[in-house]
Amino acid sequence: MGPKRVRIVDIVSPQRVSVSKPGSDGYVRTKAQALTRLADLLEHPEAAAVRIRDVLDAREREQSTGIGGGVAVPHGEVAELSQPVGAFLVCREPVAFDAIDGEPVTIFFALVGPKRASAQHLKLLARASRLLRNAAFRSELATAESAPDAYRLIAAQEEGRP
């Protein structure tokens, strides 16, 4: 039996997915608000949201994690964590995020993990990148009406179902 395939749905629960729409509570309009929302989604008994936000901010100061195509992948290592944790934020109204292509961001996948698991961290980032490379999937995810709808789309895409 070969090594277990790295899956995003193993680290992202439905509670770690959020859809931001105009008029909704906590509507995300800025990069700072997006990072705060992601840190809140990533909060874990082993690492408070404020600690996670500090890690995400530090990474963004090094270089924007806006990878283009309306996607950003904020990530970092949090020593207190024993396992990686991921979250998705879908913004129905794009957010200026200093992405490499200069375009605003609609889909955020955030990942934090323990320092000692850098190989797993890289595999999860690569897996997310492969999922989000699909333009039709990004388009569908960007118009998700709710967090449960977005999670269902993510899980179906990862399993290879439309």
Side-chain angles (χ1 to χ4, degrees):
M1 190 164 141
K4 183 180 175 193
R5 184 172 69 122
V6 175
R7 296 175 351 134
I8 298 301
V9 292
D10 292 336
I11 63 160
V12 176
S13 66
Q15 296 76 27
R16 295 190 190 283
V17 177
S18 180
V19 173
S20 171
K21 299 188 283 192
S24 66
D25 282 347
Y27 172 48
V28 172
R29 293 178 299 280
T30 66
K31 182 175 186 173
Q33 290 171 340
L35 292 172
T36 296
R37 172 70 61 80
L38 289 165
D40 289 344
L41 291 169
L42 291 166
E43 187 167 30
H44 190 275
E46 297 173 343
V50 67
R51 169 77 174 110
I52 292 169
R53 173 65 197 265
D54 288 346
V55 167
L56 296 179
D57 282 343
R59 176 62 182 84
E60 288 301 320
R61 282 192 299 275
E62 289 176 24
Q63 180 179 5
S64 175
T65 58
I67 61 173
V71 175
V73 186
H75 60 279
E77 296 174 330
V78 178
E80 300 87 343
L81 290 175
S82 60
Q83 295 293 320
V85 181
F88 276 90
L89 169 61
V90 177
C91 294
R92 296 292 298 273
E93 295 290 322
V95 174
F97 204 79
D98 304 316
I100 60 171
D101 62 358
E103 295 298 316
V105 172
T106 307
I107 300 168
F108 297 85
F109 169 69
L111 172 67
V112 290
K115 288 186 183 281
R116 64 195 167 281
S118 57
Q120 183 183 32
H121 191 87
L122 291 174
K123 286 179 183 176
L124 286 162
L125 288 172
R127 178 71 186 141
S129 176
R130 281 192 300 276
L131 282 176
L132 296 169
R133 198 174 299 144
N134 180 322
F137 170 64
R138 287 194 317 268
S139 178
E140 191 173 12
L141 185 58
T143 60
E145 285 296 320
S146 67
D149 289 344
Y151 182 82
R152 280 191 292 278
L153 289 169
I154 293 161
Q157 180 69 20
E158 190 164 44
E159 295 304 319
R161 298 185 315 266

